[in-house]
Amino acid sequence: GQPLVFDMSYDQHMARREVENTVSQLLEVEGWNRRAPDPFHLHYCNLQPGGGYRRELVKRYGAETWENLLVTCTEKQHVDLFPREDLVYLTADSRNILRTFDHSKVYVVGSMVDRSIQPGLSLANAKRLKLNTARLPLDEFLQWDCGAKNLTLDQMIRILLTLKETGRWEEALEHVPKRKHDGFYRQVPDRDGPGHRDSDRTR
Ligand code: SAM
């Protein structure tokens, strides 16, 4: 199956409570993926043997379940496992918009909960490694006045699984919580590609 990377390098930046919250989201991620008709091959990269994420994952799953999960867990970096040109680091702070889901790419999601004190952390990481980046086309499809466009890891996997299966943003972005936006822009089929706005919202 298509690989999907979760970059586990962020635990040293986080308080214990945040590590716990991230791992709760990762348990959901694995669950959604396992139940999907066409799952990703999940890779948890940069997972440090003595680190906070590993400790919490083993604690939550139990040692036996953890050992038997259908997830590739590795200390290695994504850049050491996949060709650099295949990797796309997903980050809300990217200037590039992900317009179509590419089945030959390896998308990377940063394993962290949102924190106001360190915005742009995943973008900085991607830049340092000279990786391509992309953000989800939230502004292009959803009426979004303000508020953070950073989604949680469970929302990300549900969006990506739907995209992989259907290629349709309208379906995938149903997984963005409704409280975050005021609905979809009306889409005009077959014009200008995804994200074309028929009418801008009147305020
Ligand atoms: N401020 C954090 C950062 O440094 O990006 C936000 C992290 S967000 C809670 C967790 C991960 O979900 C991000 O690293 C990114 O991979 C993914 N993500 C969340 N919202 C996204 C969006 N709108 N577009 C692309 N990726 C997104």
Side-chain angles (χ1 to χ4, degrees), residues 3-200:
L4 177 67
V5 171
F6 281 80
D7 179 0
M8 308 291 284
S9 66
Y10 300 101
D11 50 358
Q12 66 270 30
H13 297 275
M14 287 201 268
R16 187 186 191 116
R17 183 85 202 125
E18 292 167 326
V19 169
E20 289 169 358
N21 287 342
T22 310
V23 167
S24 294
Q25 292 182 12
L26 283 168
L27 263 63
E28 279 194 62
V29 164
E30 189 275 328
W32 286 113
N33 188 63
R34 182 163 26 85
R35 292 191 295 270
D38 185 17
F40 287 100
H41 178 173
L42 296 181
H43 285 68
Y44 295 170
C45 293
N46 287 312
L47 189 65
Q48 297 311 309
Y53 276 150
R54 210 197 106 93
R55 199 176 326 117
E56 187 64 21
L57 281 162
V58 174
K59 182 175 147 197
R60 293 288 294 276
Y61 277 116
E64 196 175 336
T65 308
W66 169 246
E67 289 303 324
N68 292 306
L69 275 190
L70 291 174
V71 173
T72 297
C73 297
T74 173
E75 286 175 66
K76 289 196 180 130
Q77 299 205 75
H78 34 284
V79 284
D80 296 328
L81 293 179
F82 302 102
R84 209 170 278 260
E85 61 274 19
D86 290 353
L87 290 164
V88 180
Y89 212 118
L90 297 176
T91 160
D93 300 310
S94 176
R95 284 197 290 161
N96 311 315
I97 305 168
L98 186 71
R99 294 194 180 273
T100 49
F101 180 84
D102 188 337
H103 296 264
S104 69
K105 294 289 185 196
V106 180
Y107 295 104
V108 183
V109 176
S111 292
M112 65 183 123
V113 288
D114 205 12
R115 301 207 309 164
S116 46
I117 28 171
Q118 267 168 332
L121 196 56
S122 42
L123 182 65
N125 232 324
K127 277 189 173 165
R128 187 172 53 79
L129 295 166
K130 300 190 167 55
L131 297 179
N132 291 320
T133 61
R135 62 175 177 82
L136 300 180
L138 301 180
D139 281 323
E140 288 66 24
F141 282 91
L142 302 171
Q143 301 185 8
W144 202 303
D145 278 342
C146 55
K149 297 198 179 67
N150 282 309
L151 303 175
T152 59
L153 305 182
D154 50 299
Q155 290 158 9
M156 289 299 292
I157 188 77
R158 295 180 75 186
I159 290 170
L160 292 169
L161 283 166
T162 305
L163 273 181
K164 183 170 189 278
E165 204 184 315
T166 71
R168 297 189 68 246
W169 283 107
E170 291 85 347
E171 261 178 67
L173 296 181
E174 288 290 338
H175 300 300
V176 177
K178 299 282 179 287
R179 64 184 152 73
K180 288 208 155 197
H181 60 84
D182 296 329
F184 282 81
Y185 288 106
R186 191 156 65 85
Q187 295 294 311
V188 181
D190 301 328
R191 264 186 55 194
D192 294 0
H196 172 74
R197 286 172 192 184
D198 182 38
S199 59
D200 267 348

